[in-house]
Amino acid sequence: LSSLTSTFGGFSDINNDGVVVALITSQVNKLSSGGGIVTGFFWSGDLVSGYNNMEIIYLVAPDSAGVYGPKVSNSFAMSNFLPGVFFHETQHLINYYQHVVVKGGTSEKAWLNEGLSHLAEDLIGYNLENYSRYDLYLAAPHNNSITPSGSPSLAQRGGIYLMLRYLYEQSGNSSSFVGRLVQTSDTGATNVVNAYAGTDSAFNEWGEFLKYWAVALAYT
């Protein structure tokens, strides 16, 4: 967890225990529908409304028989889902705390918030599921906006992740770039531009980021 907070920023500690609790529960399994699998979530009410009075995230439970939702074996959950999802959802917790509680702003746009969580999985070393998302994006990028107005699809998440990974590599001081994206009241494309803080006049605007990123994707 320290490797996540050192890059993305700190989280609150409203119950003074110094930890983020991960509750593995079949209630998460029940949220899955349409063939997809909901692997976890963070709820801001636990931070600001006093419901559980702790920093907590909710994770899918192994359920090999599919009693509560899609079949998820224990081995698959432990090797593919749970390690990465823990950091994914904790990024959401940190992001909300920094944007809303510390900076007094509003929640980050869903597309950027999800992209940062997928980047967190990557940077912490649990990049086991991102490939399945960016494969979907690369199969039809023209059909998948990386700035959707609502919750991004799996393919859109893949594209957003690739965009952030590209800027992360281009930034020169990668950890500082990511920290600025989270520890701010800025949101959306404005946040990305301000956090990148580029000094090259040909690469310091959102449209320029998209143009050069598209070229990078084509070459790779």
Side-chain angles (χ1 to χ4, degrees):
L1 187 58
S2 61
S3 56
L4 183 71
T5 57
S6 64
T7 299
F8 287 77
F11 57 88
S12 58
D13 191 14
I14 55 180
N15 61 342
N16 298 310
D17 65 357
V19 302
V20 173
V21 172
L23 176 61
I24 299 174
T25 170
S26 60
Q27 295 301 313
V28 173
N29 303 53
K30 294 176 182 178
L31 298 175
S32 298
S33 62
I37 300 178
V38 176
T39 54
F41 67 89
F42 155 70
W43 184 50
S44 62
D46 287 324
L47 289 189
V48 298
S49 299
Y51 280 89
N52 283 303
N53 196 39
M54 65 176 65
E55 289 69 29
I56 183 171
I57 59 175
Y58 305 86
L59 305 180
V60 66
D63 179 18
S64 58
V67 174
Y68 301 102
K71 293 181 179 179
V72 180
S73 70
N74 183 69
S75 60
F76 190 75
M78 294 304 297
S79 62
N80 281 59
F81 280 169
L82 294 180
V85 175
F86 173 78
F87 292 108
H88 180 112
E89 299 303 334
T90 301
Q91 190 286 135
H92 288 318
L93 185 156
I94 292 171
N95 201 299
Y96 182 86
Y97 172 66
Q98 291 289 338
H99 268 80
V100 178
V101 180
V102 175
K103 299 297 183 180
T106 59
S107 298
E108 181 56 88
K109 302 291 186 183
W111 64 266
L112 183 52
N113 205 341
E114 291 298 341
L116 283 166
S117 280
H118 287 291
L119 183 64
E121 295 179 45
D122 181 357
L123 299 183
I124 303 305
Y126 292 100
N127 195 18
L128 298 173
E129 290 292 315
N130 283 336
Y131 76 91
S132 64
R133 288 138 176 83
Y134 63 67
D135 274 0
L136 291 172
Y137 175 78
L138 292 173
H142 53 289
N143 289 334
N144 292 291
S145 168
I146 66 168
T147 58
S149 57
S151 179
S153 67
L154 294 180
Q156 289 169 330
R157 288 167 183 246
I160 299 161
Y161 158 73
L162 288 176
M163 174 66 164
L164 290 178
R165 178 72 203 199
Y166 170 71
L167 291 176
Y168 171 83
E169 294 176 0
Q170 297 298 313
S171 66
N173 194 333
S174 305
S175 295
S176 295
F177 167 59
V178 174
R180 289 193 296 269
L181 280 168
V182 176
Q183 300 165 44
T184 181
S185 60
D186 292 336
T187 62
T190 299
N191 185 11
V192 177
V193 172
N194 290 342
Y196 189 83
T199 58
D200 184 348
S201 61
F203 194 72
N204 63 359
E205 298 178 359
W206 180 247
E208 293 166 346
F209 294 163
L210 292 177
K211 178 175 66 175
Y212 284 100
W213 171 60
V215 173
L217 286 181
Y219 270 103
T220 57

